[in-house]
Amino acid sequence: MGMVSVIMNTVNERRDYLDLAIQSWLNQEGIEIELIVSTVEGDVNIDYIRENYPLVNVVTMPREDHPISKGGKCPLGSFMQINNALPHINGGWFTFASSNDIAYPFKALSEVKMCQDNSKLICYSDIDQIDENGSLIRTVKLRDYDRAAHQQGNFVADCSMVHISIVRGFLPFRTELNNYAYWDLWLRVYEKLGDVFIHQPRSTWGYRQDSNSMHVKRSKSPEQIAEAQKDRSRMLALHPLK
């Protein structure tokens, strides 16, 4: 089946959220997990993670190189953290995780199995949106892969399961595309390899929604919305639908 390497981004996360996120990955069923927590020097949880989760590999980047030194969390910083942790991957599969989301115990095994059973390289699953207490808000039902539909909007989740060949062949992320770096990755993969995507029509993780979530804050900022529209147009211009 192969080991799954998980890169979990965090910066000064709430301790209870962080514990639940880490434990959800360390408690995956039926498959070996390598958990890599990627953060920034000065994160208040670094010592806590190292003391309480000795099997977790904590990778840091210099604070002065991260956007948090200029004002806070942002998509650019998230992709910089993932890129910084990529050299530490040892598994045959890779997935991304946030330090406030919860992976269900069957996430890793079911997604790897979906790929292997269908000769695919990327598996994306439906998503449960949960509130700050972990209660279900709604389930987001995604669609099976279609390239034309993918040009209109990204439905392949950031937390998809990815074969290591994709990591080696297509990463690091293009950080200059900000929050569209994952969408750009999926389109680049299709352009070179074709349809290597499989949709698992059940939820495998809880995507936490609270007032501190980056996407919630962006949705309330006209300036950030305008910048995101520019990034979206710039990214899609790199991938004209043929």
Side-chain angles (χ1 to χ4, degrees):
M1 187 62 67
M3 181 171 68
V4 173
S5 294
V6 182
I7 292 178
M8 178 182 290
N9 275 2
T10 190
V11 179
N12 298 332
E13 185 63 82
R14 270 180 53 168
R15 189 68 56 80
D16 55 341
Y17 286 178
L18 178 64
D19 276 327
L20 289 171
I22 290 176
Q23 290 165 16
S24 75
W25 280 106
L26 296 182
N27 293 328
Q28 289 292 295
E29 298 172 347
I31 196 165
E32 184 181 2
I33 299 295
E34 174 188 50
L35 181 55
I36 303 162
V37 171
S38 184
T39 188
V40 183
E41 290 175 352
D43 185 323
V44 297
N45 291 309
I46 290 176
D47 290 342
Y48 175 80
I49 298 170
R50 287 176 171 156
E51 291 170 6
N52 290 276
Y53 300 103
L55 297 180
V56 173
N57 182 11
V58 180
V59 176
T60 64
M61 61 181 299
R63 191 176 186 86
E64 62 269 20
D65 294 342
H66 192 279
I68 198 170
S69 66
K70 300 177 179 66
K73 300 178 184 179
C74 66
L76 172 60
S78 294
F79 287 105
M80 291 173 67
Q81 285 174 242
I82 301 173
N83 284 349
N84 189 54
L86 288 173
H88 298 269
I89 288 176
N90 295 298
W93 296 87
F94 158 71
T95 191
F96 166 72
S98 175
S99 60
N100 61 1
D101 296 335
I102 299 173
Y104 300 159
F106 53 84
K107 183 183 193 301
L109 180 61
S110 67
E111 291 177 350
V112 170
K113 193 171 187 305
M114 281 285 290
C115 285
Q116 293 180 335
D117 289 350
N118 294 277
S119 299
K120 299 292 187 178
L121 299 175
I122 297 168
C123 177
Y124 60 100
S125 302
D126 293 344
I127 306 163
D128 284 344
Q129 291 185 344
I130 59 175
D131 65 19
E132 60 186 54
N133 299 312
S135 299
L136 179 67
I137 300 172
R138 70 183 183 110
T139 296
V140 179
K141 306 298 291 185
L142 303 178
R143 59 166 299 149
D144 291 345
Y145 194 82
D146 177 84
R147 176 61 183 86
H150 206 187
Q151 190 77 3
Q152 302 305 312
N154 182 39
F155 47 83
V156 181
D158 293 359
C159 298
S160 300
M161 187 63 63
V162 179
H163 190 265
I164 193 64
S165 62
I166 301 297
V167 176
R168 303 304 184 211
F170 294 89
L171 295 182
F173 287 99
R174 292 172 170 172
T175 54
E176 67 273 12
L177 296 175
N178 292 306
N179 204 41
Y180 296 92
Y182 251 117
W183 193 357
D184 166 72
L185 167 65
W186 307 139
L187 294 178
R188 285 190 286 121
V189 168
Y190 184 92
E191 288 161 1
K192 188 170 183 178
L193 301 179
D195 184 359
V196 295
F197 302 87
I198 186 73
H199 167 223
Q200 177 168 223
R202 68 166 173 165
S203 304
T204 61
W205 56 292
Y207 177 35
R208 197 182 298 275
Q209 314 283 289
D210 69 13
S211 58
N212 292 315
S213 298
M214 279 194 292
H215 75 279
V216 172
K217 291 182 176 179
R218 287 198 304 272
S219 70
K220 298 178 180 179
S221 167
E223 295 81 7
Q224 291 186 36
I225 292 172
E227 284 300 316
Q229 287 296 327
K230 291 179 183 178
D231 290 338
R232 184 182 192 277
S233 298
R234 186 160 52 93
M235 187 279 293
L236 287 175
L238 300 173
H239 306 286
L241 186 60
K242 299 175 182 178

